[in-house]
Amino acid sequence: MQKTIKPVFLQRIFAVQKKFPSYQVDGILFSNISNIRYLSGFTGSDGILILSADAVRLLVDGRYTTQAVAEVQPVPVVQYQNKIQGIEKAVKELGLTKIGFEASFVSVEMFNDLTRSLKKTKLVPLGDELRLLRAYKDKYEIAVMKKAAAIASAAVAVLSCEIEPGWTEQETALQLEMTARRAGAEQVAFETIVASGKHAALPHAQPTNRKIQNGDFVVIDFGVKYQGYCSDETCTFAIGELTGDQKNAYRATLQAHDETIAFIKAGIAAADVDALVRRVLGKKYSRYFVHGTGHGVGLEVHEAPRLAPNSQDVLNAGMVVTVEPGLYYPGRWGIRIEDTVFVKENSCEIITKMKKDYTIIG
Ligand code: ZN
Ligand code: ZN
């Protein structure tokens, strides 16, 4: 654990404080734990971070005091017994009169409690203002995200040599997770998806005891956390000989994936990226592509920006996003090919490493 708060956290806090006038607040109360980690380095799972224009406080309960003091000093850590009372005390001490809060992360109950206890303080809901808070990654974040991706990709590569017909989806997921944990993964970034046969037609299928068999596509969507940062990547294996229709559909998905990644650079609208995927898939396939093209990745596996038909986001240098075209034929089979890319001025860099060529197993 670090002994002092790294300047990077102070810089991030300062960048938020500079925006107070445009948000019309004199403080912000953060309750989203990923935002708290991003701004302070605190790795616990519960707490409140309060910023004023020139001060900061981390509020935690007794479970986290020792850890928080070690992780975030010299940010003052205040232990509370009751969260709302702790917030009330800090808001008074900091003299805040207009305090912003993360509208998407405060429950109605908490909002009501805050309204009751902070009678003289105006509560200002912030939504779009904080949406892109973590969207731009620095060199450190890119480095740890590459490490997370390397661990996950290596585990999938090992799996591709081991997996054979007869393994269940659950065994396959377990094997993948064990390999990744042994290689240094802190935990999985999301529930591992191993979806075979007709299960592959469900974009968010859960692994079952179905045995993988010849003629299956097996969609493996797998990511791990390293230093708190997520990786996200999907491969689709072909088990044995597949039909011509399946092979053509795979080629179409891969082409949409490749052309889209070649198109991504700073200044491109996220909606245009999504439109390109659908255009390359064409009339024959695009109706089987039932979700958005991608999403930002970082401390959370799904974060801003969003690559989808109605997205207002624009991609910019420093953002890390996924490109994940997929085709889903209900009751039959499915395919998804996903990489995570780092957006640069004139191109993007693929940070996930698994090969995406058509891979026949068995
Ligand atoms: Zn994924
Ligand atoms: Zn994804």
Side-chain angles (χ1 to χ4, degrees):
M1 281 178 201
Q2 72 237 29
K3 288 271 186 297
T4 55
I5 189 163
K6 290 178 188 162
V8 64
F9 297 119
L10 295 178
Q11 283 168 23
R12 290 173 184 169
I13 287 171
F14 184 58
V16 174
Q17 287 168 328
K18 266 203 323 204
K19 302 227 172 103
F20 281 8
S22 66
Y23 300 165
Q24 302 192 334
V25 298
D26 57 11
I28 298 183
L29 181 156
F30 285 95
S31 52
N32 173 299
I33 204 67
S34 299
N35 284 344
I36 293 173
R37 180 169 184 158
Y38 180 77
L39 292 170
S40 72
F42 174 57
T43 66
S45 59
D46 191 18
I48 295 285
L49 189 77
I50 299 187
L51 306 189
S52 72
D54 56 6
V56 51
R57 296 259 196 293
L58 177 66
L59 279 50
V60 295
D61 67 57
R63 293 171 297 168
Y64 294 111
T65 311
T66 307
Q67 175 187 343
V69 168
E71 288 178 337
V72 309
Q73 57 172 295
V75 168
V77 174
V78 182
Q79 183 178 315
Y80 60 75
Q81 281 190 327
N82 172 294
K83 191 181 269 183
I84 297 296
Q85 286 170 4
I87 293 170
E88 186 181 356
K89 190 160 169 267
V91 167
K92 271 190 190 144
E93 281 172 10
L94 294 168
L96 303 176
T97 57
K98 289 175 289 180
I99 187 161
F101 68 95
E102 300 152 299
S104 318
F105 299 99
V106 169
S107 65
V108 172
E109 184 184 22
M110 185 170 174
F111 179 78
N112 288 341
D113 288 347
L114 288 172
T115 307
R116 263 194 297 275
S117 69
L118 301 174
K119 288 200 182 65
K120 291 183 187 151
T121 310
K122 188 177 174 200
L123 292 167
V124 182
L126 299 175
D128 282 350
E129 295 88 344
L130 299 175
R131 243 192 102 240
L132 296 177
L133 176 70
R134 306 192 312 266
Y136 294 91
K137 272 68 179 181
D138 64 24
K139 276 186 192 157
Y140 165 79
E141 293 175 290
I142 296 295
V144 295
M145 291 186 76
K146 283 183 174 174
K147 175 73 178 171
I151 293 170
S153 302
V156 174
V158 170
L159 180 78
S160 70
C161 303
E162 298 173 332
I163 189 173
E164 49 188 41
W167 282 33
T168 68
E169 295 168 349
Q170 283 164 336
E171 282 169 340
T172 308
L174 180 64
Q175 189 68 9
L176 198 50
E177 291 173 15
M178 279 201 299
T179 308
R181 287 261 193 175
R182 287 199 177 105
E186 288 163 2
Q187 59 185 83
V188 291
F190 52 90
E191 294 281 329
T192 303
I193 295 174
V194 174
S196 65
K198 66 181 180 182
H199 294 166
L202 308 168
H204 271 194
Q206 286 188 324
T208 69
N209 59 5
R210 181 185 186 277
K211 287 193 165 98
I212 291 165
Q213 51 194 258
N214 279 319
D216 282 354
F217 272 133
V218 182
V219 173
I220 297 178
D221 192 345
F222 181 58
V224 304
K225 282 192 178 184
Y226 183 76
Q227 303 269 312
Y229 282 81
C230 300
S231 74
D232 188 12
E233 181 171 19
T234 308
C235 296
T236 300
F237 294 146
I239 309 295
E241 242 345 92
L242 269 63
T243 65
D245 279 354
Q246 285 174 308
K247 286 180 193 168
N248 288 338
Y250 188 94
R251 271 186 220 113
T253 312
L254 186 60
Q255 191 185 350
H257 163 275
D258 291 351
E259 287 193 26
T260 303
I261 288 177
F263 174 69
I264 289 179
K265 61 179 180 179
I268 301 271
D272 290 346
V273 176
D274 184 87
L276 178 65
V277 173
R278 287 168 215 280
R279 200 158 60 243
V280 178
L281 288 174
K283 224 175 167 183
K284 181 171 178 191
Y285 292 115
S286 59
R287 63 199 164 111
Y288 297 103
F289 178 37
V290 294
H291 52 72
T293 291
H295 52 86
V297 188
L299 285 169
E300 290 178 16
V301 70
H302 291 126
E303 53 182 52
R306 208 166 58 86
L307 286 70
N310 56 357
S311 173
Q312 300 294 313
D313 293 323
V314 173
L315 300 186
N316 266 314
M319 289 178 169
V320 173
V321 299
T322 67
V323 174
E324 47 185 301
L327 301 179
Y328 309 93
Y329 288 76
R332 295 173 62 202
W333 42 266
I335 300 164
R336 181 163 63 257
I337 303 173
E338 175 181 28
D339 270 311
T340 300
V341 305
F342 169 40
V343 182
K344 297 184 164 182
E345 271 317 317
N346 294 306
S347 63
C348 70
E349 177 188 347
I350 304 177
I351 66 172
T352 32
K353 298 293 178 206
M354 191 61 204
K355 74 183 184 78
K356 300 296 183 316
D357 299 341
Y358 189 74
T359 304
I360 300 174
I361 306 286

